[in-house]
């Protein structure tokens, strides 16, 4: 059986992890927080950094959402609090359904065939609400707000009105989606980048992904690099990202993989190996809201 979020977080702290990336959409905040508390009570570590996400809600619910998520985690503040997607969905009362997912709380039956219910709220209002969270100490770093799944065009828009500018951008990056133009742009702006879905299609199997593309773990450049350095395939994919200056947040429930993923910076790929893996790029975006509702085509 798959271990609980409580156990996975506890084991991660035990083997050396000090940053945990979560979101209300994952539906495991309370259990993950229990794992943190257990580890701290046992004195495994006093150092911790927590990242969570404001879901796709309009600005008026940001403070309420942050308070609820902090309570579930058992924390006083988040080190980083992201805007999960730059999309304003209609508010869902957490007493009715939590996590809210993508479907409206309109009194009708809820099914995954329903279209999303959005609100006409400009992103500037959401960003202002995030700035207020910083002002009120919901975040520990007074000048840090994070955004997720934001394009270059929206970054330009944010910079035109932001009182507190984004310091970190979290986006999907893997060898099938290398995102070089975005990386060059964020480098110019001095914005750090964190990659999610570092293993490409492998990251989406549990969500029912049935694409025809070959798993990255079976691609020759990845396999050859793993053999050359006597490392596992996941370590190669993580090192491909970190050598390019990208932070990674790999997910696993297996303790042995927790250990090996943490050891993925103990070697260096050659420049040729990095280039060969990067050449696998086919622009494959796996986390795209337009797959849920064509009106949410924020990347096209």
């Amino acid at each position: 059986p798959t271990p609980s979020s409580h156990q996975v977080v506890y084991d991660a702290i035990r083997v050396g992890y000090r940053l945990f990336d979560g979101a209300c959409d994952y539906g495991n905040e309370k259990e993950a927080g229990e794992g943190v508390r257990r580890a701290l009570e046992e004195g495994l570590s006093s150092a911790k950094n927590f990242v969570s996400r404001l879901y796709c809600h309009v600005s008026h619910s940001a403070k309420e959402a942050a308070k609820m998520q902090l309570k579930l985690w058992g924390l006083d503040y988040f080190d980083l609090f992201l805007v999960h997607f730059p999309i304003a969905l209609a508010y869902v009362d957490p007493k009715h359904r939590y996590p809210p997912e993508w479907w409206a709380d309109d009194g009708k039956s809820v099914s995954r065939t329903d279209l999303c219910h959005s609100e006409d709220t400009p992103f500037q209002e959401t960003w202002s609400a995030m700035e207020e969270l910083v002002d009120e100490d919901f975040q520990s770093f007074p000048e840090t707000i994070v955004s997720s799944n934001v394009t270059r065009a929206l970054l330009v828009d944010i910079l035109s009105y932001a009182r507190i500018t984004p310091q970190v951008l979290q986006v999907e990056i893997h060898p099938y989606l290398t995102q070089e133009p975005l990386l060059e742009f964020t480098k110019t702006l001095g914005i750090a980048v964190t990659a999610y879905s570092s293993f490409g299609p492998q990251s989406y199997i549990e969500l029912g992904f049935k694409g025809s593309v070959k798993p990255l773990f079976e691609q020759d450049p990845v396999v050859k690099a793993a053999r050359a350095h006597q490392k596992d395939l996941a370590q190669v994919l993580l090192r491909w990202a970190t050598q390019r200056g990208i932070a990674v947040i790999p997910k696993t429930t297996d303790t042995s993989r927790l250990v090996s993923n943490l050891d993925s910076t103990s070697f260096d790929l050659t420049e040729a190996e990095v280039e060969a893996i990067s050449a696998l790029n086919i622009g494959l975006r796996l986390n795209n809201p337009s797959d849920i509702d064509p009106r949410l085509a924020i990347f096209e």
Side-chain angles (χ1 to χ4, degrees):
T2 302
S4 67
S5 298
H6 170 147
Q7 188 66 43
V8 171
V9 170
Y10 172 82
D11 288 340
I13 293 175
R14 181 172 56 81
V15 302
Y17 283 82
R18 296 295 178 265
L19 184 145
F20 298 89
D21 183 273
C24 79
D25 188 43
Y26 303 159
N28 62 358
E29 293 166 298
K30 183 177 184 295
E31 292 78 9
E34 290 170 353
V36 172
R37 286 191 292 277
R38 176 185 169 193
L40 296 180
E41 288 170 359
E42 294 182 13
L44 294 182
S45 174
S46 60
K48 56 190 184 301
N49 290 285
F50 297 97
V51 180
S52 195
R53 297 167 174 79
L54 173 70
Y55 205 50
C56 308
H57 290 324
V58 294
S59 56
H60 61 70
S61 64
K63 190 177 299 184
E64 178 185 352
K67 286 181 178 179
M68 181 174 181
Q69 290 173 248
L70 285 168
K71 184 177 180 179
L72 288 170
W73 273 95
L75 300 172
D76 296 322
Y77 59 81
F78 289 120
D79 295 286
L80 298 173
F81 195 50
L82 291 75
V83 180
H84 202 150
F85 275 94
I87 296 169
L89 297 181
Y91 177 70
V92 176
D93 187 341
K95 294 177 182 177
H96 172 71
R97 185 175 71 252
Y98 190 86
E101 299 182 293
W102 292 82
W103 324 113
D105 186 7
D106 56 6
K108 300 177 182 179
S109 61
V110 176
S111 74
R112 291 185 176 274
T113 61
D114 294 336
L115 290 175
C116 301
H117 291 222
S118 60
E119 292 196 8
D120 295 329
T121 302
F123 193 71
Q124 182 174 359
E125 290 187 19
T126 300
W127 194 259
S128 294
M130 297 295 283
E131 291 175 327
E132 291 177 10
L133 294 180
V134 175
D135 295 338
E136 297 183 29
D137 297 325
F138 282 85
Q139 296 189 173
S140 63
F141 301 118
E143 296 183 354
T144 302
I145 299 179
V146 185
S147 197
S148 180
N149 299 301
V150 167
T151 62
R152 287 180 291 170
L154 185 52
L155 272 176
V156 171
D157 181 62
I158 293 170
L159 292 173
S160 72
Y161 51 70
R163 174 169 56 88
I164 302 175
T165 57
Q167 301 297 304
V168 182
L169 176 63
Q170 188 178 114
V171 290
E172 179 182 344
I173 297 178
H174 45 75
Y176 283 150
L177 184 68
T178 55
Q179 303 243 50
E180 278 92 352
L182 179 61
L183 291 174
E184 285 297 320
F185 188 59
T186 53
K187 183 178 180 180
T188 299
L189 296 176
I191 297 174
V193 174
T194 298
Y196 68 79
S197 300
S198 295
F199 306 139
Q202 188 71 23
S203 306
Y204 292 83
I205 289 176
E206 66 183 49
L207 298 178
F209 177 76
K210 300 183 184 301
S212 58
V213 66
K214 180 188 292 188
L216 285 169
F217 289 163
E218 297 177 10
Q219 287 286 2
D220 285 346
V222 178
V223 174
K224 289 179 181 178
R227 289 173 179 168
H229 296 276
Q230 296 184 321
K231 297 293 181 179
D232 65 41
L233 299 164
Q235 288 174 314
V236 168
L237 291 174
L238 294 174
R239 191 60 178 136
W240 168 83
T242 56
Q243 275 190 228
R244 301 167 70 219
I246 303 167
V248 292
I249 45 173
K251 172 189 172 184
T252 183
T253 59
D254 184 279
T255 304
S256 64
R257 290 187 187 135
L258 283 170
V259 174
S260 63
N261 288 347
L262 197 61
D263 188 45
S264 62
T265 58
S266 63
F267 69 103
D268 291 328
L269 298 169
T270 67
E271 183 176 342
E273 288 169 336
V274 171
E275 290 178 354
I277 294 172
S278 297
L280 296 172
N281 181 42
I282 54 175
L284 176 64
R285 188 181 299 278
L286 296 158
N287 190 14
N288 194 337
S290 65
D291 293 336
I292 297 174
D293 188 324
R295 298 172 300 175
L296 303 180
I298 60 174
F299 296 120
E300 283 76 9

